[in-house]
Amino acid sequence: MVVQLLADLQKGNFRSLARAISYVENGVREYADQLADWAPSATPVTGITGPPGAGKSTLVDALIGHYVGQQKRVAVLCVDPSSSLYHGALLGDRIRMSDWYNHPAVFIRSLATRGSLGGLHPRIIEITDLVKQAPFDHLLIETVGVGQNEIEIAGLADTTLVVLAPEAGDDIQSMKAGLLEVADIFVVNKSDRPDADLFVRNLRSMQTPAFRREGRDIPVVKTIASQKQGIEEVARLIEEDRKKERSTDKRYRLLAEQAWLLIRHQRMKGIDRKDLAAAIETRSKEGPFNLYRFVKEYTT
């Protein structure tokens, strides 16, 4: 059954892909282990991140339309916020992509963060590699808008777009270090709003001469995603970014980050939050509860 399902998704069967993602998402070992037998895929991954309200979902919708217009097949993973206690996802932003749910060239899947602080699903690496095995030309990953914590996407995507709106100008200095670390392209969306040009200049001024000498001259592009303005320029910059020579050291660091996350998940396997809560409740009723003594039982 496992082999047949995975063979079907490699042929482009959306239903098989959706089922396989669910199995990997819920930790069914047979499906995650199958990834070790597959050759790496060259499907390009574009990450879209940024603070809430910047228009990430609208930009993704516009990029889908651009690629579909070029007769390309597009997969989209939308990571939504969820409760760290109950893991329920808030899927309201997906209504902005409703035109594509039944399109034969577009696959869209919403995932919950399940309490992860990095703006991504805890099994996003495996799910991404699974989707890349299907015959898509582009994979877009939209992350939760949680601010500076969204640096995990830089270790997953070939190209990372940081989407901002002009009204974020007052917070630009507080976001500076994280933005420069994450961004391959800055997208100033809703650029028809006041002070958009000033905001673009501020973004460019953040990139010091020393920073540019390191080869990290980050392009800034203005868009009005709701009106599909600037989308062709964004797609062009994404393509240009993929053609750049990448630092070998950086690639090794990114792979090491992915390896570390996968190893951590494997070692945490079998440890359930509900079981921990029950055990803590029991210990607390027996006497004063010491968190570090309790944790030591699971780590030694």
Side-chain angles (χ1 to χ4, degrees), residues 151-227:
I151 61 173
E152 283 186 11
I153 189 64
L156 183 69
D158 299 301
T159 301
T160 301
L161 310 184
V162 173
V163 185
L164 301 165
E167 52 264 33
D170 293 339
D171 301 322
I172 198 68
Q173 289 302 317
S174 64
M175 294 188 293
K176 179 177 179 179
L179 290 176
L180 291 177
E181 181 179 356
V182 170
D184 292 307
I185 301 168
F186 283 125
V187 178
V188 178
N189 193 34
K190 305 179 182 179
S191 60
D192 54 338
R193 294 188 177 182
D195 297 328
D197 290 335
L198 175 61
F199 184 65
V200 168
R201 288 197 295 272
N202 288 338
L203 276 176
R204 289 177 174 146
S205 68
M206 286 168 49
Q207 304 175 53
T208 63
F211 184 79
R212 290 193 171 96
R213 282 196 295 272
E214 296 175 0
R216 291 295 316 279
D217 189 3
I218 305 173
V220 182
V221 58
K222 294 195 299 183
T223 64
I224 307 175
S226 60
Q227 300 177 25

Side-chain angles (χ1 to χ4, degrees), residues 37-52:
D37 299 325
W38 284 350
S41 168
T43 303
V45 179
T46 301
I48 296 94
T49 189

Side-chain angles (χ1 to χ4, degrees), residues 22-76:
S22 294
Y23 287 132
V24 172
E25 188 177 14
N26 292 305
V28 178
R29 187 177 184 85
E30 292 84 351
Y31 292 88
D33 287 350
Q34 189 70 29
L35 291 169
D37 299 325
W38 284 350
S41 168
T43 303
V45 179
T46 301
I48 296 94
T49 189
K56 297 185 296 294
S57 295
T58 306
L59 180 69
V60 170
D61 176 75
L63 282 171
I64 294 172
H66 174 80
Y67 289 131
V68 169
Q70 294 183 330
Q71 307 302 310
K72 304 294 186 181
R73 290 169 59 87
V74 185
V76 183

Side-chain angles (χ1 to χ4, degrees), residues 17 21 75 77 107 126-134 136 139:
L17 177 57
I21 290 175
L77 296 177
F107 175 85
E126 299 101 308
I127 293 172
T128 297
D129 286 331
L130 184 70
V131 175
K132 288 172 68 176
Q133 291 295 324
F136 292 109
L139 170 55

